Amino acid sequence: VQLVESGGGSVQAGGSLRLSCAASGFTYPYLMAWFRQAPGKEREGVAAITRDGLTPYADSVKGRFTISEDNAKNTLYLQMTNLKTEDTAIYYCAASAESADSWGAIWNWRLPSRFDYWGQGTQVTVSS
């Protein structure tokens, strides 16, 4: 099982970036997500997506970030627009094999413990 992120970089506030996560080595998971971790802070869930297309977002990124997937390419994306300095962090891709067929089944999507597999992370730096 392997998750490999790419697309991070440095951008000025107000700019955009698109992160990608290539998944391999397992059948398509029930739930995938993007997390981020800033220096000195805990890892937090940013957005998630289920097989059925449910897409919860953290309040801090609603309206600015969009999570999507390309099943044919086994790739997860995070389109980030109107970036803010507080978005600076290492961004991680995560996958879970646990059933996620309703909003009730993904109530804990923002908890790292919900996920079984992790990528190595990609740095996003937003400057003012």
Side-chain angles (χ1 to χ4, degrees):
V1 175
Q2 190 173 27
L3 299 173
V4 180
E5 302 97 333
S6 61
S10 296
V11 64
Q12 288 191 324
S16 300
L17 282 174
R18 188 178 80 156
L19 305 183
S20 299
C21 171
S24 62
F26 54 1
T27 55
Y28 198 75
Y30 284 98
L31 178 68
M32 295 194 74
W34 287 98
F35 280 73
R36 67 186 181 187
Q37 188 165 19
K41 295 188 177 181
E42 293 186 352
R43 191 170 297 191
E44 64 171 356
V46 174
I49 187 166
T50 70
R51 284 183 177 178
D52 297 326
L54 301 180
T55 54
Y57 291 90
D59 288 344
S60 59
V61 306
K62 280 181 181 177
R64 301 188 298 120
F65 290 11
T66 302
I67 189 170
S68 62
E69 59 190 5
D70 184 331
N71 292 344
K73 296 181 179 179
N74 287 337
T75 301
L76 179 73
Y77 302 100
L78 184 68
Q79 178 68 51
M80 305 185 293
T81 63
N82 191 20
L83 282 161
K84 304 177 180 180
T85 55
E86 52 263 43
D87 294 320
T88 295
I90 298 174
Y91 283 71
Y92 298 91
C93 173
S96 171
E98 183 179 343
S99 177
D101 57 0
S102 67
W103 286 108
I106 59 171
W107 65 271
N108 57 351
W109 72 271
R110 296 200 71 187
L111 298 178
S113 59
R114 175 70 166 80
F115 295 85
D116 307 295
Y117 308 103
W118 293 86
Q120 82 289 348
T122 185
Q123 176 71 47
V124 172
T125 302
V126 184
S127 58
S128 58

